[in-house]
Amino acid sequence: GAKHSLMFRLMGEQNDLSNGQFSNTTSFFGKYEFSKEFANFKDLEFIGGVSGMGTYSNANIYEASGSNKNNATNVSLYLQLEKTFMKTITLQVGFRGEYYDLNKTEAYTVPLLRTSLNFKLMQETYLRVSYGQGTRFPTIAERYISTNLGAIGVFDNPDLQPESGWNAEIGLKQGIKFAKFYGYIDIAGFLQEY
């Protein structure tokens, strides 16, 4: 009754740019996920996993960091529980912990929350509400690129900080039937702040 998923990706990139500039990057990604529906707790599903990404760069266009060699690491641990009550209400609660390190000099640890409720109000009428948090860390290029494209200069931004935010949604979905055709009308409102 359990499901395991394991994924890996490796990518290499080599760029020879104008003015003797170069960028050689190797990136890898790995993810393990486990999910299981628990028979002892009717309609309870657990999803959990870990993922990681590493980027190693040797590029003189990123010399603003103080070196041609730069690296970034991002590791996350996540879990989510989903439970259905009385076949009409579905609750999802999820947590994600993110760790990010740039050049082993600057590290961030961020906890994130995600939750949603779905209500079956009537036959083919559903109400949903959700809330989620997110974060995005600056890339090596965003922080340290320094180059030019003819008369246009591209400048480093070493003080760039991670972005974080949240979003919320409320929505109503109604099933409709017309002759032999079935469909849905879905109305939703969103609010996002970052």
Side-chain angles (χ1 to χ4, degrees), residues 35-192:
S35 62
K36 181 171 175 56
E37 192 168 318
F38 291 93
N40 296 343
F41 301 96
K42 188 178 177 187
D43 297 320
L44 175 68
E45 185 178 3
F46 170 85
I47 300 170
V50 61
S51 66
M53 185 176 74
T55 303
Y56 301 94
S57 175
N58 181 13
N60 61 3
I61 61 172
Y62 304 142
E63 284 182 335
S65 72
S67 172
N68 279 1
K69 297 183 179 178
N70 294 277
N71 61 73
T73 304
N74 185 203
V75 178
S76 66
L77 177 67
Y78 61 93
L79 60 93
Q80 176 177 298
L81 290 172
E82 182 175 314
K83 172 79 172 139
T84 301
F85 302 92
M86 302 173 291
K87 297 184 179 181
T88 58
I89 300 172
T90 302
L91 170 67
Q92 289 181 332
V93 177
F95 170 81
R96 184 176 186 96
E98 292 269 353
Y99 170 81
Y100 180 77
D101 181 296
L102 184 59
N103 288 334
K104 306 214 181 305
T105 60
E106 222 172 317
Y108 302 93
T109 304
V110 180
L112 302 168
L113 175 69
R114 175 184 178 271
T115 184
S116 69
L117 270 171
N118 292 289
F119 303 92
K120 182 177 181 181
L121 301 176
M122 295 181 287
Q123 186 68 25
E124 297 302 317
T125 304
Y126 305 91
L127 174 69
R128 68 184 181 277
V129 293
S130 66
Y131 171 83
Q133 298 173 317
T135 191
R136 192 184 78 76
F137 302 104
T139 65
I140 294 169
E142 289 173 318
R143 279 260 181 110
Y144 301 127
I145 192 167
S146 182
T147 188
N148 61 54
L149 306 166
I152 300 171
V154 181
F155 303 100
D156 59 308
N157 190 358
D159 298 322
L160 188 62
Q161 295 298 306
E163 299 172 324
S164 61
W166 60 269
N167 65 341
E169 174 190 355
I170 185 167
L172 182 66
K173 182 166 77 169
Q174 176 63 57
I176 55 172
K177 179 182 175 188
F178 181 72
K180 294 182 181 181
F181 298 97
Y182 297 90
Y184 289 96
I185 295 175
D186 196 333
I187 300 170
F190 304 88
L191 178 63
Q192 180 179 25

